[in-house]
């Protein structure tokens, strides 16, 4: 880094371009930026237990969930399981949308279920506020598993090992329990399994920790992670939304993605139904209807402003992103290079999306080296399986 005083001298000698470049460029990272970097690494591989799910953390539930996740017998067509669309290393599919019962296609790109227990909201539009209530949605979605409580019940009853473990966990018979409770309980079992789908510690974590030490020692600029982190934090503004150890703010933004589908309204379109949903964290099937998750839901009600939520989708975690192409809720960005180009252009042209693009998304003027460094940074986020 050229010392600042030199830049001022260069300006005085009216070496125009050089002087200006130096002036706008404080050494990276500043103390604030260093704090932001400190938030990024070391995601826990043991997320807190979900108090709204009484079987979370129980081994019996986790094992039963493992079996149910893979069982196409829970679908009406008998051929689609959770695993059909959340498969392989990336726990998703390699196409923009996925195929459910009868060859129907999902509207959106399936997100990974890796590290999913760390999420605060589920689905691209956040229409579920717990992992267990989320699991009921694909079961009952006509284009996914097209199922219902009768089909799920018949499958549990037909398989003695399912029936027995269900009884151990909930103290009732799957044959006699009311339909909504049965579905909520099956969701809780699936969620108990999903909490162990962790892929956390990644080369990125090592890089960030080493970079912080280098910055503290005054040698940040010679660190190999310098350009990637600097662009992520400064010129790219990625860290405004992709922050914290999961690299997400767990909020919803309209980044201006081309989308004319029926779900283009994003969070705004689903907010009221989530708040009124009997399966939400404050509802009658929650095991902790007055806990912190339920309070968070109530906060959402008071904070909701249409202009910020229309066309807004959840900031996804960037961990393991190299395993989960294609990208965005539309699945329209094929590679990580395409995602960087999208941000570099300041999003898709106005008029191709609903609502108003958030003001953080602007043209970036990244150099080829900066683009490459961002792609490398994203690729370094692939974690080791637990
Ligand atoms: C036919 C494909 C398909 C099937 C089958 C399927 N999913 Fe998904 N899954 C998706 C899609 C598509 C989304 C995103 C939907 C949206 O956001 O509107 C998704 C979202 C999710 C999410 C939310 C992830 C996040 O980051 O918000 C979880 C968790 C999940 N699915 C788990 C499951 C479970 C459990 C099952 C089985 C009960 C299942 N899925 C069955 C396609 C599928
Ligand atoms: C204003 C907040 C915001 C900023 C700034 C931002 N992102 Fe995002 N990012 C999001 C949201 C929201 C999505 C999901 C958008 C959607 O699908 O509708 C997303 C999606 C992504 C994805 C796709 C992930 C997936 O699983 O499909 C990648 C990769 C990504 N962002 C990287 C970046 C990088 C690199 C930068 C900086 C150049 C950046 N983001 C800046 C909010 C932001």
């Amino acid at each position: 880094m050229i010392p600042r005083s030199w830049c001022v001298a260069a300006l005085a000698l009216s070496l125009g371009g050089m002087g200006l470049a130096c002036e706008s460029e404080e050494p990276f990272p500043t103390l604030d930026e260093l704090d932001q970097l400190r938030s990024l690494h070391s995601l826990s591989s043991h997320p807190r237990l979900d108090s709204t799910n009484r079987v979370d953390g129980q081994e019996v539930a986790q094992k039963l969930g493992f079996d149910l996740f893979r069982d196409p017998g829970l679908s009406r067509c008998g051929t689609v399981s959770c695993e059909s669309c959340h498969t392989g290393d990336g726990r998703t599919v390699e196409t923009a949308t996925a195929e459910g019962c009868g060859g129907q296609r999902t509207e959106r790109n399936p997100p990974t279920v890796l590290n999913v227990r760390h999420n605060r909201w589920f689905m691209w539009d956040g229409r579920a506020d717990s992992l267990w209530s989320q699991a009921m949605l694909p079961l009952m979605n006509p284009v996914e598993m097209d199922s219902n409580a009768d089909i799920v019940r018949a499958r549990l009853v037909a398989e003695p090992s399912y029936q027995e473990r269900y009884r151990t966990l909930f103290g009732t018979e799957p044959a006699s329990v009311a339909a909504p409770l049965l579905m909520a309980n099956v969701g809780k079992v699936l969620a108990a399994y999903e909490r162990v789908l962790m892929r956390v510690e990644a080369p990125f974590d090592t890089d960030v920790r080493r970079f912080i030490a280098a910055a503290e020692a005054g040698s940040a600029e010679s660190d190999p992670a310098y350009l990637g982190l600097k662009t992520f934090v400064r010129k790219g503004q990625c860290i405004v939304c992709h922050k914290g150890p999961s690299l997400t703010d767990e909020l919803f933004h309209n980044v201006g993605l081309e989308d004319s589908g029926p779900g283009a309204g994003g969070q705004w379109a689903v907010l009221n139904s989530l708040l009124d949903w009997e399966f939400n964290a404050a509802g009658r099937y929650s095991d902790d209807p007055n806990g912190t998750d339920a309070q968070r839901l109530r906060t959402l009600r008071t904070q909701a402003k249409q202009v910020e939520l229309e066309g807004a989708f959840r900031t996804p975690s960037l961990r393991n992103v190299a395993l989960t192409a294609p990208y965005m809720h539309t699945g329209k960005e094929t590679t990580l290079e395409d995602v960087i180009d999208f941000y570099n252009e300041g999003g898709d042209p106005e008029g191709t999306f609903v609502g108003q693009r958030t003001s953080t998304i602007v043209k970036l003027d990244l150099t080829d080296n900066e683009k490459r460094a961002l792609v490398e940074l994203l690729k370094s986020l692939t974690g080791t399986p637990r």
Side-chain angles (χ1 to χ4, degrees):
M1 174 62 57
I2 307 163
R4 245 177 118 62
S5 53
W6 191 91
C7 298
V8 176
L11 258 179
L13 291 167
S14 39
L15 295 174
M18 173 71 90
L20 282 175
C22 294
E23 244 225 331
S24 61
E25 186 83 351
E26 273 197 77
F28 176 77
T30 62
L31 288 177
D32 274 359
E33 288 167 334
L34 197 56
D35 273 346
Q36 292 179 304
L37 291 171
R38 285 195 184 101
S39 84
L40 286 179
H41 60 89
S42 307
L43 180 69
S44 163
S45 59
H46 292 87
R48 74 175 172 88
L49 289 177
D50 177 358
S51 62
T52 70
N53 177 358
R54 64 161 110 166
V55 300
D56 198 24
Q58 292 189 26
E59 208 181 324
V60 177
Q62 186 188 311
K63 289 193 168 147
L64 178 57
F66 175 95
D67 293 339
L68 295 179
F69 197 86
R70 282 158 184 75
D71 190 344
L74 294 175
S75 68
R76 182 188 299 272
C77 51
T79 54
V80 177
S81 69
C82 309
E83 173 99 341
S84 308
C85 304
H86 299 282
T87 178
D89 273 356
R91 290 282 177 169
T92 173
V93 293
E94 291 173 357
T95 43
T97 59
E99 196 177 296
C101 275
Q104 300 184 87
R105 314 263 351 157
T106 60
E107 193 195 322
R108 295 185 181 139
N109 181 241
T112 183
V113 288
L114 291 170
N115 301 349
V116 72
R117 184 55 194 86
H118 279 292
N119 289 10
R120 269 200 222 152
W121 309 103
F122 303 89
M123 302 301 212
W124 284 105
D125 50 18
R127 66 185 179 279
D129 65 339
S130 74
L131 196 48
W132 60 267
S133 62
Q134 186 287 328
M136 301 169 56
L137 299 175
L139 276 170
M140 297 189 293
N141 188 328
V143 307
E144 297 188 357
M145 297 172 77
D146 196 21
S147 196
N148 61 28
D150 292 338
I151 296 168
V152 171
R153 191 194 309 279
R155 184 69 197 113
L156 292 178
V157 171
E159 177 62 53
S161 85
Y162 286 173
Q163 236 190 124
E164 191 189 309
R165 286 182 285 175
Y166 183 97
R167 200 185 299 130
T168 307
L169 289 165
F170 299 106
T172 50
E173 292 296 331
S176 57
V177 64
L181 183 58
L182 179 81
M183 295 303 276
N185 285 347
V186 166
K188 288 175 186 178
V189 168
L190 285 164
Y193 161 62
E194 290 175 286
R195 99 186 302 278
V196 303
L197 296 174
M198 287 286 154
R199 229 177 140 127
V200 175
E201 183 63 23
F204 175 82
D205 298 284
T206 317
D207 288 349
V208 172
R209 289 192 284 260
R210 187 199 58 238
F211 183 81
I212 290 169
E216 285 164 351
S219 59
E221 218 182 326
S222 54
D223 190 280
Y226 176 79
L227 187 61
L229 288 173
K230 182 177 165 194
T231 313
F232 192 82
V233 170
R234 205 173 266 187
K235 200 168 166 186
Q237 297 219 64
C238 317
I239 204 160
V240 173
C241 305
H242 297 284
K243 60 169 105 175
S246 284
L247 292 100
T248 167
D249 54 6
E250 292 291 352
L251 297 173
F252 298 78
H253 305 277
N254 184 334
V255 298
L257 267 170
E258 180 179 2
D259 183 357
S260 53
Q267 195 193 17
W268 180 248
V270 301
L271 190 65
N272 284 327
S273 51
L274 169 62
L275 292 168
D276 297 338
W277 199 27
E278 62 179 338
F279 296 101
N280 70 27
R284 59 211 281 216
Y285 299 99
S286 166
D287 294 313
D288 190 13
N290 296 309
T292 46
D293 288 348
Q295 264 145 31
R296 192 183 59 205
L297 190 69
R298 292 187 192 108
T299 317
L300 193 66
R301 190 189 293 274
T302 55
Q303 283 175 346
K305 283 200 210 90
Q306 173 161 13
V307 46
E308 286 160 23
L309 303 184
E310 200 181 9
F313 292 86
R314 202 191 68 223
T315 309
S317 168
L318 296 181
R319 290 201 175 261
N320 304 304
V321 75
L323 303 176
T324 66
Y327 301 106
M328 305 301 198
H329 77 269
T330 54
K332 277 191 196 141
E333 304 299 334
T334 312
T335 63
L336 289 172
E337 284 79 1
D338 295 335
V339 175
I340 300 304
D341 286 339
F342 166 87
Y343 282 114
N344 197 37
E345 299 290 309
D348 287 333
E350 298 268 1
T352 59
F353 54 91
V354 171
Q356 225 174 294
R357 176 160 45 218
T358 175
S359 57
T360 323
I361 304 293
V362 291
K363 275 198 169 38
L364 297 174
D365 278 326
L366 299 174
T367 65
D368 286 348
N369 278 342
E370 287 167 336
K371 288 190 198 172
R372 261 194 299 273
L374 280 181
V375 170
E376 284 311 307
L377 180 151
L378 293 172
K379 288 189 175 160
S380 76
L381 278 154
T382 305
T384 324
R386 176 164 132 177

